[in-house]
Amino acid sequence: MAKNSFNTSTVHLTIFFVLAAILITLSFPSEGKFKYSFSEGKPWKYGLLTAPFDITVYKTDAEVSAEKDSIVKFVKPFYFSMDENVVSSATESLTEFYEREGRSANIPYACYDYLLKQLQSIYTDGIIPLGDYQNMEEKNISEIRLKSDNLAVTRLVKSFYTVRSAYETIIKKRPSHIGEEELKKLNVSNYLQHNVSYDKELSDKALNEHLSKVMLSVGVVQTGAKIIDRGEIVDLDAFRILSSLQKQTQERLGSTQYQASLILGEGILICVFMAAFFFYLFLFRPREFANRKNTIFMLLNITIICVITGFFSTDKGFFNAYIIPFAIPTIMIRTFIDSRTAMVTHSVIVLICSLMVPYPSEFILLQFAAGFTAIFGLKDLTERSQLFRCSFLVLLAYIITYVGIVLCDEGDITKLNWRMFVYFGINFIFLTFTYLLVYLVEKLFGFISGVSMVELSNVNTNPLLLELSEKAPGTHQHSMQVANLASSVALKIGADATLVRTGALYHDVGKLFQPEYFTENQMAGFNPLNQLSYVESAQIIINHVQKGIELAKQHRVPEQIIDFIRTHHGTGKVGYFYTMYKNEHPDEEIDDQLFSYQGPNPSTKEQAILMIADTVEAASKSLKEYTETNIRDLVNRLVDGKVEEGLLNDAPITLQELKVTKEVLIEKLMGMYHTRIAYPELRESKLN
């Protein structure tokens, strides 16, 4: 049954891993990316690059733009020839005005005749719109093509008038006998308008014909041909080829076939990374793998951060991949699981996300530096302020690593991109919210952090422990001693000392219901259990486990701590009453369940340590003489007894760790009871 259950659980977890891999693959940016960064005149910082396909080498944008600009200057714009209707309309209007009003206003005929001849002369040269004239001056266009029937004549722009220059010419060239005021009475400006207009269609056609002759490419690089190697300078020719490769790669990325191949490749790589994480848990963290809640929590960390990275994978102003706090999943898993799993998870996240970002090598270096700093900077989370300190260390790791990368690649501190420091700053701000996330994760997943355990261990602020210290001071003192012993052992064998210490403080809270029935709380000379049968006494002692569980749940103690209450006696027996009953009823078949705890047995290293420390501490008080030999015999007998009874079979604690456990307990008990070496007495010498 257990095997079938394990197989079913493995199948379910495999499905979760596959779903996570699919979701991450779908979150990859749809647009392709060119995986090399280069600049003209700078060394090539990657390995040997050969042409992956036949590359058409294009001129650079600057070269093409320069050629087109020269053509634009070379190609002369076309204008329609003089509009004769404009000339005749102007002269007729002048004549009508003079006949109608000029004679009555005593305007000399000479003025009229002069203006008429000037209009005919100016219109013969041509009047161009002022805007066109100014535009050609700005573009340094000195000539235009004036179209007449099927012919086009080249003329200087300066040979044409504008309405303003025509008016000024008429006024300035008048003979001395013609007064300016009399001439202006003829309303000179009313007869001036452009008679030469721009032929946009013909001009554009001529320009496009010349532009179409511009060669965009300068050759072809055959497949497999060398382009550039590490350390070589990106000169103009190499820059052309690399730019062409980038352009054509982007074009290929847009094809449906290429996109399908791209998604397939991304999916394969993601599956490889996720499979590596799967087998890491399966082979090296079987307890975490079997705990579906823990595995889903880790998968969510990987999936969420990868999906977010897929959205921010390309530079979108201040929305950049480097603002994403990749250290948060690392801190979370370090806090609730363990540091090695946090390191493996961080590596998987960074490797997957490096497939999405433009500069993967730089990204990997920065994120590995930040992630490992988060792991090493958060060895024990016992204070909320440690999260802020860790965030600051991560910020420093980003900055120092980035400066090192720039100096290594560019050799010039001025090449630092100030926006990167802004990204790191935003990242730091997000990291400071880890405090809230830790609290939310504790509530959603039922985890318990080091900070919470420290808070739970505070007798002055925790009502349950405070009540225990007041109503059952002997039990409280016993719990404190067990906590010290258990945490010392945990530190020595690499278990979670904070967790086992917290569990030890709560393991006997069930004795609050009837504290007087437990020897550590009894007054000298009175034991109420003496008034009861052995079976009744055993049931009262056994019942403190279940009462402790109920009491802890009422006070909302985390489930991980309640597990210590549940397992600290395992399925062991109440030895004293069982032995006494058996001695008095030697021929009777005894129901062992009447004297046995309900269990279960310890399933973690920390629970096993607590069981041993609890038994040893309680039994040590029965010693009549605290010598090293007595203490050593007691510890060895009790620990070996737990092993023989099979109470530690489900706990992942090795024989070597049990050996270390014994030595730590012996050392601590000798210190607690002030065992001293017996100094020899000095004998008086006998004088002969």
Side-chain angles (χ1 to χ4, degrees):
M1 181 65 71
K3 185 176 180 181
N4 291 336
S5 176
F6 176 77
N7 290 337
T8 302
S9 178
T10 303
V11 171
H12 290 164
L13 291 176
T14 303
I15 293 173
F16 290 142
F17 271 84
V18 172
L19 291 175
I22 292 173
L23 186 58
I24 293 171
T25 303
L26 294 176
S27 70
F28 264 64
S30 57
E31 68 273 12
K33 61 182 185 295
F34 188 67
K35 57 184 179 181
Y36 301 109
S37 174
F38 58 92
S39 299
E40 187 177 358
K42 298 293 180 63
W44 180 252
K45 57 185 178 182
Y46 308 98
L48 174 65
L49 178 64
T50 58
F53 48 82
D54 289 348
I55 304 171
T56 302
V57 182
Y58 295 103
K59 296 176 182 177
T60 65
D61 292 340
E63 290 176 315
V64 173
S65 178
E67 289 188 29
K68 289 184 176 181
D69 287 344
S70 64
I71 288 175
V72 169
K73 293 179 181 179
F74 171 77
V75 178
K76 303 174 180 63
F78 280 82
Y79 278 78
F80 292 109
S81 59
M82 286 74 149
D83 189 347
E84 297 296 335
N85 293 329
V86 175
V87 180
S88 59
S89 175
T91 55
E92 288 175 2
S93 297
L94 173 60
T95 301
E96 289 177 1
F97 177 79
Y98 183 75
E99 292 295 337
R100 185 178 63 254
E101 299 182 17
R103 293 182 182 276
S104 60
N106 296 321
I107 299 174
Y109 178 80
C111 287
Y112 158 73
D113 184 59
Y114 166 75
L115 180 57
L116 185 62
K117 291 178 180 179
Q118 284 297 313
L119 289 175
Q120 292 172 344
S121 173
I122 287 171
Y123 278 119
T124 300
D125 290 336
I127 299 177
I128 272 184
L130 179 61
D132 290 5
Y133 195 92
Q134 292 174 338
N135 186 44
M136 286 185 284
E137 278 189 336
E138 291 175 0
K139 295 182 178 180
N140 294 322
I141 298 175
S142 59
E143 296 179 339
I144 65 171
R145 300 281 287 172
L146 190 62
K147 186 178 70 172
S148 178
D149 296 330
N150 293 327
L151 298 176
V153 180
T154 301
R155 281 186 54 181
L156 293 173
V157 175
K158 293 180 179 180
S159 66
F160 291 92
Y161 291 97
T162 64
V163 171
R164 179 183 297 175
S165 63
Y167 179 85
E168 292 174 351
T169 299
I170 292 171
I171 298 299
K172 290 180 180 179
K173 284 188 175 183
R174 73 186 189 282
S176 57
H177 63 277
I178 296 177
E180 181 177 347
E181 295 301 323
E182 293 175 332
L183 187 59
K184 289 181 178 179
K185 289 180 180 180
L186 292 174
N187 298 326
V188 177
S189 59
N190 291 345
Y191 316 114
L192 296 174
Q193 59 179 317
H194 65 267
N195 67 332
V196 178
S197 56
Y198 179 61
D199 189 343
K200 185 177 187 306
E201 181 179 355
L202 185 58
S203 297
D204 289 346
K205 181 179 179 181
L207 179 61
N208 290 333
E209 285 180 0
H210 284 81
L211 291 177
S212 64
K213 296 176 183 178
V214 175
M215 298 294 294
L216 300 179
S217 63
V218 294
V220 176
V221 176
Q222 299 294 327
T223 303
K226 173 189 172 183
I227 298 176
I228 196 170
D229 202 351
R230 184 185 297 275
E232 295 180 359
I233 300 300
V234 181
D235 56 16
L236 178 59
D237 291 336
F239 186 77
R240 284 176 178 167
I241 297 173
L242 291 170
S243 299
S244 302
L245 174 61
Q246 182 178 19
K247 179 179 179 181
Q248 290 164 62
T249 300
Q250 297 288 358
E251 291 173 352
R252 286 174 170 240
L253 291 173
S255 68
T256 304
Q257 180 181 357
Y258 193 92
Q259 284 290 335
S261 301
L262 189 67
I263 293 173
L264 177 61
E266 293 167 348
I268 290 173
L269 290 176
I270 291 170
C271 288
V272 168
F273 296 137
M274 295 298 285
F277 185 63
F278 177 93
F279 285 109
Y280 163 77
L281 294 177
F282 183 79
L283 297 174
F284 300 103
R285 291 294 185 272
R287 285 174 47 212
E288 306 299 343
F289 183 82
N291 189 323
R292 185 178 300 181
K293 177 184 66 175
N294 289 1
T295 304
I296 291 175
F297 170 68
M298 289 183 279
L299 283 177
L300 282 175
N301 273 276
I302 295 173
T303 304
I304 290 173
I305 206 75
C306 289
V307 169
I308 294 174
T309 304
F311 181 76
F312 292 122
S313 58
T314 54
D315 196 340
K316 302 173 182 177
F318 283 112
F319 294 98
N320 183 280
Y322 287 107
I323 73 172
I324 301 172
F326 285 89
I328 284 183
T330 309
I331 293 173
M332 289 293 178
I333 296 174
R334 168 64 189 86
T335 301
F336 298 117
I337 310 296
D338 63 73
S339 58
R340 183 174 297 180
T341 303
M343 190 175 295
V344 173
T345 308
H346 181 72
S347 300
V348 169
I349 291 173
V350 170
L351 290 174
I352 291 176
C353 293
S354 69
L355 303 174
M356 306 180 188
V357 297
Y359 308 118
S361 58
E362 177 182 306
F363 175 83
I364 291 173
L365 286 174
L366 284 167
Q367 300 307 337
F368 272 8
F372 291 163
T373 299
I375 293 171
F376 302 145
L378 201 64
K379 183 179 180 182
D380 294 307
L381 180 59
T382 56
E383 298 177 6
R384 304 286 180 181
S385 60
Q386 289 176 309
L387 290 172
F388 182 83
R389 184 184 66 184
C390 180
S391 301
F392 183 72
L393 291 175
V394 169
L395 174 63
L396 285 180
Y398 271 127
I399 293 173
I400 293 172
T401 306
Y402 173 65
V403 172
I405 291 172
V406 172
L407 290 176
C408 183
D409 288 345
E410 305 289 346
D412 186 357
I413 196 70
T414 61
K415 299 298 182 181
L416 292 172
N417 184 356
W418 66 269
R419 292 178 66 182
M420 291 295 289
F421 296 103
V422 176
Y423 299 149
F424 298 152
I426 297 173
N427 190 305
F428 167 74
I429 293 172
F430 286 149
L431 270 180
T432 57
F433 285 97
T434 309
Y435 173 92
L436 296 176
L437 288 176
V438 167
Y439 178 79
L440 290 175
V441 168
E442 286 182 329
K443 298 303 179 185
L444 290 174
F445 289 88
F447 291 145
I448 180 170
S449 66
V451 175
S452 296
M453 285 188 286
V454 171
E455 293 172 349
L456 286 168
S457 302
N458 193 329
V459 178
N460 297 321
T461 59
N462 192 285
L464 184 55
L465 292 183
L466 185 61
E467 184 181 2
L468 182 67
S469 67
E470 293 174 349
K471 293 184 177 180
T475 299
H476 173 69
Q477 186 62 32
H478 161 71
S479 299
M480 294 288 288
Q481 298 283 22
V482 172
N484 291 333
L485 291 174
S487 60
S488 297
V489 172
L491 286 172
K492 199 70 175 179
I493 66 173
D496 191 333
T498 307
L499 177 61
V500 73
R501 178 179 179 80
T502 308
L505 292 175
Y506 285 85
H507 80 283
D508 270 347
V509 292
K511 294 180 180 180
L512 272 172
F513 282 91
Q514 293 174 309
E516 67 278 5
Y517 282 90
F518 299 89
T519 56
E520 66 266 22
N521 300 312
Q522 292 169 359
M523 300 295 291
F526 177 74
N527 187 346
L529 293 177
N530 294 334
Q531 312 299 321
L532 304 174
S533 68
Y534 294 135
V535 174
E536 291 173 331
S537 298
Q539 289 300 309
I540 289 176
I541 300 300
I542 291 170
N543 195 43
H544 88 275
V545 173
Q546 185 59 38
K547 292 295 185 181
I549 294 172
E550 295 172 1
L551 193 59
K553 288 183 177 180
Q554 291 174 12
H555 285 78
R556 297 182 180 179
V557 175
E559 194 64 30
Q560 291 94 323
I561 305 303
I562 295 177
D563 284 339
F564 283 97
I565 303 174
R566 189 178 286 117
T567 63
H568 76 279
H569 286 295
T571 55
K573 295 181 178 63
V574 185
Y576 176 82
F577 296 109
Y578 176 76
T579 303
M580 294 295 292
Y581 187 90
K582 193 171 184 180
N583 289 337
E584 291 187 8
H585 304 81
D587 300 325
E588 181 181 330
E589 185 176 347
I590 302 174
D591 183 2
D592 289 351
Q593 294 300 318
L594 295 175
F595 296 92
S596 299
Y597 290 95
Q598 297 178 1
N601 291 323
S603 60
T604 69
K605 191 178 297 185
E606 290 78 14
Q607 292 170 8
I609 292 170
L610 176 61
M611 170 183 278
I612 294 171
D614 179 40
T615 303
V616 169
E617 200 282 333
S620 67
K621 293 187 172 112
S622 64
L623 290 175
K624 296 180 180 179
E625 186 178 1
Y626 294 104
T627 65
E628 180 179 352
T629 300
N630 289 347
I631 291 175
R632 184 173 295 276
D633 290 343
L634 175 72
V635 171
N636 287 330
R637 176 170 53 83
L638 292 176
V639 174
D640 293 343
K642 298 294 181 187
V643 174
E644 291 172 4
E645 291 180 54
L647 299 180
L648 303 179
N649 288 350
D650 297 333
I653 188 167
T654 65
L655 292 176
Q656 177 61 31
E657 289 171 338
L658 286 175
K659 181 179 178 181
V660 175
T661 299
K662 292 177 182 179
E663 294 301 323
V664 173
L665 291 174
I666 292 169
E667 179 185 347
K668 291 296 178 182
L669 288 175
M670 290 172 62
M672 286 168 56
Y673 296 112
H674 306 288
T675 303
R676 299 281 198 281
I677 297 174
Y679 288 93
E681 294 182 1
L682 181 63
R683 296 179 180 178
E684 295 183 3
S685 61
K686 295 182 179 180
L687 299 176
N688 294 329

